[in-house]
Amino acid sequence: MSTLSLVIPVFNEAEALEAHLAEIRLHAEQTGLPCRIILVDDGSSDNTWQVCRRLPNVEAIRFSRNFGKEAAILAGLRATREDLTIVMDSDLEHPPALIPKMVELWRQGSYQVVEAVKARRAREPWYRRLGARVFNRGMRTLAGVDLAGQSDYKLLTRETVEAYLDLPEANRFFRGLIPWLGPRRAEIPFEVPPSNRRTRWTFSQLVSLSLSALSSFSYVPLQMITLAGFLTFVGSFLLSLYVLWVKFSGRAVEGFATVILVVLFVGSITMISLGIIGGYLARIYDELKRRPPYVVADQRHPD
Ligand code: UDP
Ligand code: MG
């Protein structure tokens, strides 16, 4: 018989974790498979770790500080050895009722990944919705990766988990890298239930996640620099023709405004370009340092 593990990152979830986990376990049991739950406490500042230690039949890993959800997923996946692994949020925004359905779908076909895809986003504030749209559109046009509706709620077979763990990079983007591996995929649509609490993500975390996702999948921003350079070159060429014409036709030099504009324009393009190059350099530097993506402070095995 196949075995199942659940990888669940948790960050400051103390109040509701026990109830949520009971619900998740209930649905996991419906699969009829022996199931192991792996909680990764991403450096919570509340009582989450105490709860994790106290809960029966869970394995738990605690980070020394908040390293982010991607690192937590990675640590959880490293702790698995089961034939099937499901990665999900702990706040029931990933409906646990899908667990048996995902396993059923895996049984039916020779799928390597079963993904829960957001049919409709939950009632979110407009700026988050807009942010998600801009990000998904950017990823689609710049990186050719379609992430609309994609979530981190996925069932993975052992071979997919191993392929994911074999990737060399320290900075990962789970929901983009899994499709990148090219597994045979099936989808289950779901509606995100209205949130029972505020999101754990800060605005700057979301921006940095988006930028890191984009730069790890696309070189288009770097290529845009070349394009911008080319366009400014053509512009300056036309402008120089005009300037020469003005000079040789004997008219007084009136071009102060033009000069200022050109300096500002070229200067801003240069700075944006340097910023983009800097962004990629920082990522290369990050990978070169070969620092671990997280540090484990404590661990707990079920008794
Ligand atoms: N999470 C985490 N580290 C973080 C932020 C979140 O491990 O720094 C976990 C969190 O406990 C939850 C999941 O990632 O299980 C999704 O987080 P949240 O519900 O806050 O995000 P949203 O649903 O808004 O995407
Ligand atoms: Mg959530």
Side-chain angles (χ1 to χ4, degrees):
M1 187 168 38
S2 308
T3 49
L4 173 70
S5 52
L6 301 182
V7 167
I8 308 177
V10 285
F11 179 59
N12 292 346
E13 309 267 6
E15 331 97 67
L17 185 57
E18 186 160 10
H20 288 171
L21 220 59
E23 171 116 14
I24 289 172
R25 206 191 289 272
L26 205 69
H27 288 92
E29 274 164 10
Q30 288 170 14
T31 62
L33 304 179
C35 174
R36 198 160 64 102
I37 294 180
I38 301 164
L39 299 176
V40 184
D41 175 3
D42 185 11
S44 301
S45 50
D46 65 358
N47 283 331
T48 300
W49 182 241
Q50 279 71 24
V51 179
C52 290
R53 290 171 60 108
R54 170 162 63 71
L55 289 172
N57 288 320
V58 300
E59 189 154 330
I61 300 168
R62 173 162 168 83
F63 286 174
S64 59
R65 63 169 172 84
N66 182 234
F67 281 91
K69 186 183 178 189
E70 290 292 332
I73 292 176
L74 182 63
L77 288 177
R78 282 184 177 158
T80 64
R81 47 179 183 269
E82 286 70 18
D83 308 304
L84 299 176
T85 296
I86 293 179
V87 176
M88 67 189 300
D89 285 4
S90 58
D91 57 2
L92 300 189
E93 263 169 61
H94 292 163
L98 290 189
I99 295 175
K101 293 187 185 152
M102 289 167 119
V103 172
E104 191 48 43
L105 205 56
W106 165 79
R107 277 208 187 100
Q108 284 168 12
S110 55
Y111 300 114
Q112 293 163 311
V113 171
V114 180
E115 306 176 304
V117 187
K118 289 178 205 161
R120 198 154 49 83
R121 297 182 73 90
R123 255 173 288 123
E124 287 172 313
W126 63 271
Y127 50 87
R128 272 205 74 167
R129 205 179 278 262
L130 181 74
R133 277 180 73 132
V134 169
F135 171 65
N136 286 334
R137 179 65 63 90
M139 283 298 277
R140 203 170 62 228
T141 40
L142 298 182
V145 183
D146 193 359
L147 290 176
Q150 282 278 352
S151 74
D152 291 335
Y153 193 8
K154 296 183 196 302
L155 173 144
L156 315 171
T157 56
R158 189 71 226 146
E159 53 191 329
T160 314
V161 172
E162 308 256 319
Y164 185 74
L165 295 179
D166 276 346
L167 293 172
E169 60 236 74
N171 286 306
R172 284 150 191 266
F173 183 53
F174 180 70
R175 73 177 73 163
L177 276 174
I178 292 297
W180 181 88
L181 291 169
R184 289 184 299 277
R185 295 191 277 161
E187 292 184 353
I188 301 184
F190 77 99
E191 287 190 8
V192 181
S195 181
N196 35 14
R197 56 148 182 72
R198 285 188 58 227
T199 175
R200 299 285 187 261
W201 296 91
T202 64
F203 179 72
S204 71
Q205 272 178 325
L206 281 176
V207 169
S208 108
L209 181 75
S210 307
L211 290 180
S212 117
L214 192 61
S215 56
S216 76
F217 279 93
S218 168
Y219 304 114
V220 175
L222 277 175
Q223 287 157 353
M224 281 182 342
I225 297 177
T226 321
L227 184 68
F230 182 73
L231 290 180
T232 22
F233 176 75
V234 171
S236 354
F237 182 72
L238 294 179
L239 202 66
S240 55
L241 287 183
Y242 167 74
V243 169
L244 286 178
W245 176 68
V246 168
K247 181 173 166 65
F248 286 119
S249 62
R251 279 187 276 157
V253 186
E254 22 95 290
F256 182 68
T258 326
V259 170
I260 288 293
L261 284 178
V262 169
V263 168
L264 284 179
F265 183 61
V266 174
S268 55
I269 297 270
T270 313
M271 279 191 279
I272 294 171
S273 311
L274 281 176
I276 296 175
I277 296 173
Y280 279 91
L281 263 183
R283 283 186 63 78
I284 297 172
Y285 182 51
D286 257 1
E287 297 291 337
L288 270 184
K289 282 186 288 193
R290 316 210 95 240
R291 281 193 195 141
Y294 55 85
V295 174
V296 173
D298 204 349
Q299 232 161 342
R300 183 239 179 186
H301 298 283
D303 1 73

